Amino acid sequence: MTEARTQILANIRSALTGGEPRTPLRMNELKARIESSTPKAQPQFEDDLLRRFCQKHVAVHGTYERVAAQDLEGAVLRHIGAHQVDPQLYLGAGPLLDAVQWSAQVFTYFKSADQHTQVAVSEAFAAIAETGTVVLCSGASTPTSHNFLPEDHIVVVDSARIVRHQEDVWSLLRNRKGVAVRAVNLITGPSKTGDIEQTIQYGAHGPRRLHLLIVESA
Amino acid sequence: MNSDKIKTSTQVGLFVTCLADLIRPQIGFAAVALLEHAGCTVRVPRNQTCCGQPALNSGDSVSTIAIAKTVIKTFAQDDYVIAPSGSCVDTICHKYPELFHNDALWAGRARALAAKTWELTSFLVEVMELQQVEATYDGVCSYHDSCSGLRELGIHDQPRQLLASVVGLELKEMNENNVCCGFGGLFSVKYPDISTRMVSNKCANIGHSGVDTLLGGDLGCLLNIAGRLRREGAPVRVFHVAEVLAGMTDGPAIGEGESGS
Amino acid sequence: MSAAASQKVAFRERTTRALRDSNLQQAMGKARGGFIEKRLEAMAALPEFDETRDAARDIKDHVLANLDGYLELYEQKVIENGGQVHWARTAEEACQIVADICREANAQVVTKGKSMVSEEMHLNSVLEAAGLKVVETDLGEYIVQLAGETPSHIIAPAVHKTREQITELFHEHHSKLGYTDRVTQREALVNEARSVLRGTFVTADVGITGANFLVAETGANIIVTNEGNGDLTSSLPRVHIVTAGIEKVIPSLDDLSVLLRVLARSATGQEMSAYTSLYSGPRQDTDSEGPEAYHVVLLDNGRSTMLGGDYRPMLRCIRCGACLNHCPVYSAIGGHAYGWVYSGPMGSVLTPLLNGFDDSVDLPNACTLNGRCKAVCPVRIPLSDLLLKHRLEQYRRRLTPLFGRFLVRAWAWVATRPRLYQGLMALPLWLMHRRGRRRGALEHIPFAGGWTDSRDFPTPAGRSFIRQWHSRKGKS
């Protein structure tokens, strides 16, 4: 196996430079390019990030409600009530979500989702105005399975966490304290497929509905 | 206009292209008429045959180089070289210089030829700044954008701009007007099944558009389309755009009999 | 020569069959316009699209020019994150690596996200031979797996199947699982597949995905899907294996953003696919879930050789499928006629390079060089120019039929002698004119059945332009 590695790298070098060994100098140049990486060719758009974010989210078949932080439970109940789903919530974590005092009207679970999970409520690490995307990071209390197994995925978005471009998320991730995140999921609308007759059908393998609760920070 | 005086002296060599030469000479006469109308002095060198595309597309670079040298020599003296075909001009402008990348002398000559070679309608509009022609055509026409002209030379608006000045002509775009008709030179006889499917799609789009005439700037495509339309029995007339612009549409269209059927 | 000849027959047979296959033609007809329109809409909504394409091309060119370095930097990161990187020179080596990982994990069931590299490796058959149950989870891949076929499109694997065919396939395979009703509506078909596959997702031991990109900055593999199957495959099983070509590495997350902006737009006309995910290793101490082991298998399989020659631009390919969607030949014959895993223009360039020139003589020739593929490529690969390059290479290697080469040579010899050419052409032109003058077109021309079997040939005028001009005008 190390033989394969050696040979592939040697083939590449011989194709590129006629076989010269790579120098530490060149490796440092490449590292420097990564470390000093900057955004390129970004699309320009209006300044109202919240409005743009909502428009783009709706354009990909998402739904949302703008709510006050203290009304999060009410908003969750309104959504699951409208879709006649049992109030059994698989909960993620985040500053806004952690502050909710859940009433006896709901059952809450703090564990991985399974194939029977109906609803998960997550809080976005960030959101991207450019494309109407929510960003979710894996962690001790934010399991990735919540993003993909439930029928309904409800995501709390702090409007202050809506960034302009995708690259702004990378900056946030780079500045994030603690261990690097294992999984970063950029989610843009509910699950869908075009594999039958090239016609979009929602609810392929992931959530059928993606509902955002957008909390405007003071 | 002042510039007209200067342009009267514009000298061009006509590369008529092998297909127009052998099958539809009227395109050559139409091209000459248009160029002269625009104020050019036209030379038609006798020493011309083909641009070499069939050899190039067959992978035979040796033959292509031999033909390219003939073309380069033939037109060395002209100020401009004009051809009524996007694909032949693409070959001269983009493929010749590459063929000679190992031969500095011929590469220079090839680049010089490439720099002065133009497709007919784009030359008339962009260089001669021709705004309108004096022609009449009573019909509803669709324009098929041939691939090399459209994608390699950016020919799209130029023929349409000139056609807009033809009295009585209505231009109606069809669906997929920029999709290949399936000609592809030798492709059409090497892979006839695929070629036929493609040209059938083209004919269906022509049919749906409801036009009575199809125009284009490359005779290869037009032979293919006209040939298929005839076989399908579709009553659509086919002309090279130069014929319409030069008002040479009294005789049979491409693939039409002398009785006009 | 005989191998080339037999391939030729095979290709022609496959295209003839495809053109007569009414299901295929119906399905392809339905698909044809949609992709193109959606891409145009997405382009119109992004004024910076062309400049983004230039940036995407430049990023890929930069990586390819420094590929060894970026692969090593990427590898370091994966190891730091607790993952393992395996290198495979050939498809066989890669399959062996994956099979060994599965065996060591005592795996029974493997779920797979859509991966063209694993198709290139013929991984499924190797794993099945090793006794594993392998389940494709992308709906399109699942459909072709049920049908015992291979994908016919790199992003729409079942584009060649009609809804009626899918109904029958599901009925045949799902009845024994208790789904006895024959469902015909799209929504019901998607729901049935969702329901059937859900159980597999949660019980699989190993998940195998491809990678749209590998990011050297963080060691993450990027997987882009609309269904979410790639994420369920990456996240739920005990072991996650990523199979990827060595050309998939890119420097930074900022580079990723540029490439993502052109990928989904070119593929499906979306600004972003529903799910774009970055996975960078096994579960960490603090994680409550995620795979215990994370492996990346880097496959060369001819790519490092491509790097050195004129075909290097082909390694920029991000597998968006735009060239397939815009290719009128692909649209007429579908992907299977191409005979290998990659089809359409990118397949016709890649197959000879990865799978051998001798067995793919038709691919670069079954093309009109109309250039639409080149015009739509998000990383500006000059696909039609590379196909022409293949033809020149075939000629050099004498892979094309001798008689055809002789004819072209002879014709070219005449064409460089204009007076002779004009003299030789005069008689056939006159004869054809005589025969077809009244009708205006010939219904049959000897030795040109390829044309006249399905098309008339417009009658030549009888005398060439050059001869008419010079005799009429007396000019020279």
Side-chain angles (χ1 to χ4, degrees):
Chain A
M1 200 202 80
T2 50
E3 189 192 317
R5 181 185 187 278
T6 311
Q7 196 184 327
I8 290 169
L9 289 172
N11 278 355
I12 294 172
R13 276 170 208 140
S14 101
L16 292 177
T17 61
E20 290 167 39
R22 71 167 166 72
T23 59
L25 183 70
R26 197 169 123 245
M27 291 304 277
N28 286 338
E29 280 170 14
L30 299 184
K31 272 187 213 161
R33 188 189 181 281
I34 290 174
E35 279 156 19
S36 61
S37 162
T38 49
K40 287 170 276 286
Q42 291 178 314
Q44 302 304 307
F45 51 85
E46 50 158 338
D47 286 332
D48 189 340
L49 298 187
L50 176 59
R51 201 176 72 162
R52 161 98 177 189
F53 173 73
C54 293
Q55 272 173 2
K56 289 290 175 185
H57 173 68
V58 169
V60 290
H61 222 248
T63 55
Y64 71 93
E65 189 183 340
R66 289 164 74 163
V67 296
Q70 55 271 29
D71 189 30
L72 278 172
E73 178 176 3
V76 168
L77 287 170
R78 281 193 289 282
H79 176 74
I80 60 178
H83 296 286
Q84 294 170 333
V85 180
D86 285 342
Q88 310 212 19
L89 311 178
Y90 282 67
L91 290 181
L96 290 167
L97 207 48
D98 294 347
V100 178
Q101 303 291 315
W102 297 96
S103 72
Q105 293 182 71
V106 298
F107 300 91
T108 55
Y109 301 92
F110 296 90
K111 61 175 185 180
S112 292
D114 60 37
Q115 60 173 319
H116 307 296
T117 301
Q118 293 292 307
V119 191
V121 185
S122 313
E123 180 168 342
F125 168 72
I128 307 169
E130 179 187 352
T131 48
T133 301
V134 290
V135 183
L136 292 133
C137 296
S138 65
S141 45
T142 52
T144 305
S145 58
H146 286 193
N147 306 340
F148 299 102
L149 278 170
E151 301 281 301
D152 277 271
H153 192 201
I154 301 174
V155 180
V156 176
V157 177
D158 178 349
S159 69
R161 304 284 294 176
I162 300 175
V163 297
R164 177 171 283 270
H165 291 116
Q166 193 180 95
E167 289 90 333
D168 301 325
V169 174
W170 312 142
S171 299
L172 291 175
L173 281 169
R174 289 180 191 121
N175 297 332
R176 196 168 177 265
K177 290 188 191 75
V179 285
V181 190
R182 189 192 83 80
V184 179
N185 301 118
L186 275 55
I187 301 180
T188 314
S191 164
K192 59 188 170 185
T193 181
D195 275 344
I196 300 178
E197 295 180 322
Q198 313 314 301
T199 307
I200 294 296
Q201 183 66 50
Y202 289 91
H205 292 300
R208 295 174 190 280
R209 287 174 290 270
L210 177 65
H211 186 63
L212 306 187
L213 303 178
I214 302 172
V215 179
E216 285 176 74
S217 27
Chain B
M1 287 202 294
N2 273 342
S3 59
D4 277 2
K5 277 187 186 143
I6 302 161
K7 277 171 191 153
T8 312
S9 61
T10 304
Q11 191 278 331
V12 306
L14 179 70
F15 180 51
V16 69
T17 77
C18 59
L19 289 179
D21 177 41
L22 300 178
I23 296 165
R24 190 82 177 166
Q26 182 168 272
I27 296 169
F29 289 110
V32 173
L34 286 166
L35 288 164
E36 287 179 347
H37 169 73
C40 300
T41 313
V42 184
R43 187 181 81 95
V44 181
R46 179 139 204 184
N47 271 349
Q48 58 172 300
T49 59
C50 171
C51 68
Q53 230 182 126
L56 179 64
N57 291 350
S58 304
D60 184 348
S61 56
V62 173
S63 294
T64 315
I65 285 172
I67 294 173
K69 284 182 175 173
T70 311
V71 176
I72 291 168
K73 280 188 275 189
T74 298
F75 291 98
Q77 68 183 86
D78 297 293
D79 294 343
Y80 289 99
V81 179
I82 310 304
S85 156
S87 78
C88 306
V89 170
D90 171 49
T91 301
I92 293 173
C93 290
H94 299 130
K95 305 299 195 306
Y96 281 13
E98 270 183 49
L99 280 172
F100 295 107
H101 68 273
N102 285 329
D103 182 337
L105 174 66
W106 280 98
R109 290 177 180 173
R111 278 195 301 272
L113 176 64
K116 64 181 184 181
T117 300
W118 289 76
E119 181 275 340
L120 177 66
T121 62
S122 56
F123 177 75
L124 291 172
V125 170
E126 291 175 38
V127 180
M128 300 310 291
E129 295 175 16
L130 189 66
Q131 308 280 336
Q132 53 190 41
V133 294
E134 285 158 22
T136 306
Y137 184 81
D138 186 18
V140 185
C141 304
S142 214
Y143 193 86
H144 165 68
D145 292 289
S146 288
C147 298
S148 303
L150 176 70
R151 280 181 275 273
E152 301 295 335
L153 304 170
I155 296 164
H156 179 269
D157 296 346
Q158 302 90 329
R160 288 174 172 81
Q161 194 178 318
L162 294 175
L163 284 170
S165 71
V166 175
V167 178
L169 184 149
E170 184 194 334
L171 190 66
K172 194 172 164 194
E173 300 292 352
M174 60 181 164
N175 281 337
E176 301 188 336
N177 54 10
N178 62 2
V179 177
C180 181
C181 70
F183 175 60
L186 292 174
F187 170 87
S188 60
V189 286
K190 279 190 189 165
Y191 300 94
D193 294 1
I194 307 174
S195 176
T196 302
R197 170 55 46 86
M198 289 164 72
V199 72
S200 302
N201 289 346
K202 180 60 65 182
C203 292
N205 279 317
I206 295 168
H208 291 146
S209 71
V211 300
D212 54 46
T213 308
L214 179 87
L215 305 177
D218 275 76
L219 183 57
C221 311
L222 298 175
L223 292 174
N224 185 36
I225 296 169
R228 182 62 194 177
L229 285 168
R230 285 242 26 180
R231 185 61 59 92
E232 289 180 353
V236 178
R237 308 188 80 197
V238 178
F239 283 106
H240 190 283
V241 64
E243 297 175 285
V244 171
L245 294 176
M248 297 184 180
T249 51
D250 291 339
I254 296 169
E256 247 177 27
E258 283 176 356
S259 49
S261 69
Chain C
M1 184 64 213
S2 68
S6 73
Q7 180 70 15
K8 181 153 232 163
V9 172
F11 177 80
R12 283 169 196 277
E13 273 176 14
R14 289 195 299 267
T15 52
T16 307
R17 219 180 301 139
L19 288 164
R20 286 181 189 154
D21 180 340
S22 58
N23 281 321
L24 172 74
Q25 292 301 326
Q26 187 193 328
M28 298 302 288
K30 265 193 178 154
R32 186 147 55 117
F35 281 122
I36 293 170
E37 249 169 61
K38 284 179 199 150
R39 178 181 170 278
L40 281 176
E41 285 167 20
M43 272 176 63
L46 182 70
E48 298 88 350
F49 189 66
D50 272 338
E51 119 189 38
T52 314
R53 288 207 287 173
D54 290 340
R57 173 201 56 205
D58 294 347
I59 290 166
K60 289 296 264 186
D61 276 346
H62 169 76
V63 171
L64 293 172
N66 298 281
L67 188 59
D68 55 331
Y70 280 119
L71 282 169
E72 287 192 42
L73 292 174
Y74 164 76
E75 181 189 39
Q76 278 170 24
K77 277 288 170 190
V78 175
I79 294 168
E80 273 176 36
N81 297 339
Q84 289 182 59
V85 178
H86 311 261
W87 302 69
R89 281 165 292 199
T90 61
E92 292 73 32
E93 278 186 6
C95 285
Q96 193 57 52
I97 292 166
V98 174
D100 288 347
I101 296 169
C102 291
R103 199 188 54 241
E104 280 161 30
N106 285 319
Q108 315 276 316
V109 178
V110 173
T111 45
K112 279 189 69 209
K114 200 175 77 58
S115 155
M116 286 315 296
V117 154
S118 81
E119 296 289 341
E120 181 183 330
M121 290 156 55
H122 300 295
L123 179 61
N124 289 10
S125 59
V126 172
L127 295 183
E128 279 162 6
L132 290 153
K133 184 185 173 195
V134 183
V135 183
E136 293 286 352
T137 62
D138 171 84
L139 180 57
E141 286 273 358
Y142 178 68
I143 292 166
V144 298
Q145 190 184 29
L146 291 185
E149 297 175 6
T150 52
S152 71
H153 187 295
I154 57 175
I155 65 156
V159 66
H160 60 290
K161 286 268 181 260
T162 62
R163 181 152 50 98
E164 292 71 23
Q165 288 177 302
I166 297 167
T167 293
E168 290 312 310
L169 272 173
F170 279 15
H171 184 66
E172 183 191 336
H173 289 88
H174 294 168
S175 291
K176 56 180 177 285
L177 304 172
Y179 301 85
T180 48
D181 289 348
R182 190 181 249 103
V183 295
T184 57
Q185 297 307 303
R186 232 179 352 256
E187 183 178 1
L189 288 164
V190 172
N191 278 336
E192 186 169 306
R194 176 187 174 101
S195 169
V196 169
L197 284 171
R198 197 127 289 233
T200 313
F201 276 125
V202 297
T203 52
D205 306 294
V206 174
I208 301 175
T209 67
N212 291 88
F213 306 99
L214 306 170
V215 182
E217 179 180 352
T218 64
N221 76 281
I222 312 303
I223 178 144
V224 178
T225 75
N226 276 312
E227 299 182 0
N229 65 307
D231 296 283
L232 291 167
T233 307
S234 303
S235 307
L236 300 184
R238 289 184 278 123
V239 178
H240 179 199
I241 305 174
V242 178
T243 55
I246 53 172
E247 84 284 14
K248 289 286 176 194
V249 68
I250 57 171
S252 71
L253 292 168
D254 293 325
D255 296 315
L256 171 66
S257 295
V258 174
L259 291 158
L260 287 173
R261 281 189 190 105
V262 295
L263 174 62
R265 283 180 174 88
S266 302
T268 52
Q270 292 172 281
E271 292 188 348
M272 279 284 274
S273 299
Y275 302 111
T276 298
S277 297
L278 293 68
Y279 293 108
S280 47
R283 73 161 72 174
Q284 298 167 352
D285 298 341
T286 50
D287 288 342
S288 59
E289 57 171 40
E292 291 151 20
Y294 176 88
H295 299 268
V296 181
V297 181
L298 294 173
L299 177 67
D300 182 338
N301 207 30
R303 288 165 173 79
S304 61
T305 309
M306 275 171 71
L307 200 57
D310 293 339
Y311 298 99
R312 188 194 290 186
M314 193 59 222
L315 290 170
R316 296 203 290 254
C317 179
I318 56 174
R319 308 289 192 264
C320 70
C323 60
L324 280 68
N325 298 338
H326 289 78
C327 176
V329 173
Y330 175 88
S331 154
I333 62 176
H336 288 150
Y338 289 77
W340 200 48
V341 289
Y342 301 111
S343 57
M346 57 81 74
S348 294
V349 175
L350 267 182
T351 303
L353 297 169
L354 298 184
N355 212 24
F357 267 83
D358 292 6
D359 292 337
S360 52
V361 173
D362 274 293
L363 299 185
N365 291 293
C367 162
T368 60
L369 299 176
N370 62 77
R372 227 175 163 206
C373 45
K374 172 178 162 183
V376 298
C377 178
V379 286
R380 302 199 186 279
I381 301 169
L383 286 154
S384 41
D385 300 343
L386 295 179
L387 287 168
L388 183 58
K389 206 172 276 296
H390 270 333
R391 295 188 191 181
L392 294 163
E393 183 64 28
Q394 288 179 342
Y395 194 95
R396 269 194 292 273
R397 298 185 184 206
R398 299 169 187 272
L399 293 172
T400 45
L402 181 66
F403 185 62
R405 290 208 303 277
F406 167 76
L407 278 185
V408 169
R409 233 345 113 89
W411 165 83
W413 188 84
V414 176
T416 50
R417 288 158 180 80
R419 299 288 169 130
L420 173 66
Y421 172 94
Q422 284 149 17
L424 283 177
M425 290 298 177
L427 181 64
L429 282 184
W430 182 78
L431 286 173
M432 284 167 84
H433 177 70
R434 278 286 302 255
R435 249 191 68 213
R437 175 174 61 183
R438 185 168 288 281
R439 202 175 163 272
L442 301 156
E443 287 182 287
H444 176 71
I445 303 174
F447 309 112
W451 183 288
T452 52
D453 283 351
S454 61
R455 287 161 285 210
D456 286 4
F457 188 82
T459 310
R463 266 191 100 200
S464 76
F465 171 74
I466 296 293
R467 290 203 152 189
Q468 288 189 43
W469 176 268
H470 286 278
S471 62
R472 200 188 288 183
K473 309 253 171 168
K475 294 178 186 172
S476 66

